[in-house]
Amino acid sequence: QMMKFAWDNYKQYALGKNELRPLTKNGHIGNMFGGLRGATVVDALDTLYIMELEEEFQEAKKWVEKSFDLNVNGEASLFEVNIRYIGGLLAAYYLTGEEVFKSKALELGEKLLPAFNTPTGIPRGVINLGRQEMRSLFSPCSGMSWSWGWASAGSSILAEFGTLHLEFLHLSELSGNPVFADKASTSQLGLQVLNRVEKPQGLYPNFLSPVTGNWVQHHVSIGGLGDSFYEYLIKSWLMSDKKDSEAKKMYDDALEAIEKHLVKKSAGGLTYIAEWRGGILDHKMGHLACFSGGMIALGAEHTGEERKQHYVDLAAEITNTCHESYARSDTKLGPEAFRFDAGGEAMATRLSERYYILRPEVVESYMYMWRLTHDPKYRQWGWEVVKALEKHCRVEAGFSGIRDVYTTTPTHDNMQQSFFLAETLKYLYLLFCEDDVLSLDDWVFNTEAHPLPVNHTNSKA
């Protein structure tokens, strides 16, 4: 019902735009997708299909067939286009077999390849999606890519260049063209650069130069800028049907370093993952870091018996901390970041961190923890989120983020994010489904919650 409400209002007021502005009942395009439109359509495809909202799915499919134009000219985030558009199209193809989704995914994938034209092969974060004749006079064959203006010294971002290989491996598989897998595979990025460069305390900083292959500054975070890099290591191994042993080793080693240097326990007994700035700990967690409970639980399923329970317990403790960040707010929704200093625990202490933009990471961990432990508290916690969303984020024409989770009369931000339909509602739905709906044995979710099939090809008769 929530998904249908979110979709119907998007369709009515913003179809073809990237997001719905539910208060003003109009669409938002933004500048993240380089002129591409319909982010909410593509992000919602698989959720509509999984929820058996057949009529709505057909509406979305028709828009992709008739109106989804890839001949655009603009600056796009390589990362966002990959996880939302390519991930969404691939998942829709694998779920339905409809060729239009496959062909659009492959066409769009080709437009991203010039970002990899760097001395190290590590892509830059921003790509011009323009047609060949529109591209830079200085690099007419390569397209044009550059680093984010705010990224330290022209660096690439760990979570961005490390969150491509799930989708790109499938692009190679579907096209028969190895170029995608070659560009983005864990082994290419891992062996050639990340495994070679010295890692401080075994940790991966968030900024790397695509020119030299060296770290630019020593900021380590499991939240924004770092998050999905770690997730894609364990998921690469799972998607390969446990053949990509290098990805598994990189994940195991990274998690060991994270636990050794970043996992802390507060005075009140809450386990959290701090951030690391050149050796100095910053005792905060971002909402984005709350995916890690689910990730650690997923990885725990595939470790030796002597360590399995340890990681299940760690995952449960982190997920509990993220739940506390919700439970300790007046709206029962969690802030963008929460801290463990100056006497406060699991609460935002800065005005700039009190907002909630319909993010999925906490319910994502609930879903994994439910699937892997079947402890009923995770469904109970998920239902608390459903009620809070309905009470505080539902407005007349859709769902909106709120500016302060610590007031029961919150101000809305007038944005229904595409990931609310792709991730938040999907993970909540799966939390209450039978385990065989998108079984974790057969599917891995990309970081936008788009399901991609495990490659069982050579292992099962």
Side-chain angles (χ1 to χ4, degrees), residues 116 118-123 189 192-193 196 208-214:
F116 294 85
T118 67
T120 59
I122 295 251
L189 295 175
Q192 293 179 10
V193 181
R196 188 186 72 226
L208 188 81
S209 167
V211 176
T212 66
N214 294 322

Side-chain angles (χ1 to χ4, degrees), residues 382-400:
W383 193 245
E384 290 169 7
V385 176
V386 169
K387 290 190 292 186
L389 287 167
E390 284 284 297
K391 183 173 182 181
H392 299 293
C393 297
R394 184 173 178 142
V395 294
E396 183 188 345
F399 288 88
S400 169

Side-chain angles (χ1 to χ4, degrees), residues 435-447:
D435 288 2
D436 61 358
V437 178
L438 295 179
S439 162
L440 297 182
D441 292 330
D442 298 318
W443 299 88
V444 293
F445 293 93
N446 89 336
T447 199

Side-chain angles (χ1 to χ4, degrees), residues 74-243:
E75 304 170 11
S77 161
L78 172 72
F79 168 77
E80 296 290 354
V81 169
N82 178 58
I83 67 170
R84 300 196 203 203
Y85 285 93
I86 290 180
L89 291 165
L90 287 172
Y93 171 69
Y94 283 118
L95 289 167
T96 68
E98 298 276 2
E99 286 292 321
V100 63
F101 301 132
K102 172 179 159 182
S103 62
K104 294 279 189 186
L106 293 173
E107 187 182 344
L108 189 51
E110 287 187 12
K111 289 176 172 288
L112 299 184
L113 292 175
F116 294 85
N117 292 343
T118 67
T120 59
I122 295 251
R124 299 184 191 276
V126 188
I127 175 97
N128 187 332
L129 295 176
R131 288 168 294 197
Q132 206 68 40
E133 64 271 20
M134 292 180 169
R135 287 176 173 161
S136 165
L137 295 171
F138 300 104
S139 55
C141 299
S142 67
M144 197 174 168
S145 70
W146 53 95
S147 299
W148 293 107
W150 50 263
S152 185
S155 53
S156 295
I157 311 298
L158 182 68
E160 296 194 343
F161 68 77
T163 309
L164 300 166
H165 33 286
L166 296 186
E167 297 83 1
F168 273 51
L169 288 170
H170 279 288
L171 291 176
S172 274
E173 196 165 296
L174 291 177
S175 65
N177 186 345
V179 65
F180 298 105
D182 290 346
K183 294 285 188 192
S185 71
T186 316
S187 54
Q188 291 294 313
L189 295 175
L191 269 180
Q192 293 179 10
V193 181
L194 294 182
N195 276 350
R196 188 186 72 226
V197 66
E198 186 179 343
K199 290 172 280 295
Q201 311 289 339
L203 297 165
Y204 288 87
N206 291 334
F207 297 98
L208 188 81
S209 167
V211 176
T212 66
N214 294 322
W215 305 117
V216 174
Q217 57 170 251
H218 286 184
H219 172 222
V220 178
S221 163
I222 311 309
L225 306 180
D227 49 10
S228 45
F229 164 72
Y230 304 97
E231 173 190 355
Y232 271 39
L233 293 177
I234 188 66
K235 288 180 176 178
S236 287
W237 181 69
L238 291 169
M239 197 177 82
S240 72
D241 212 15
K242 306 175 188 170
K243 293 187 177 64

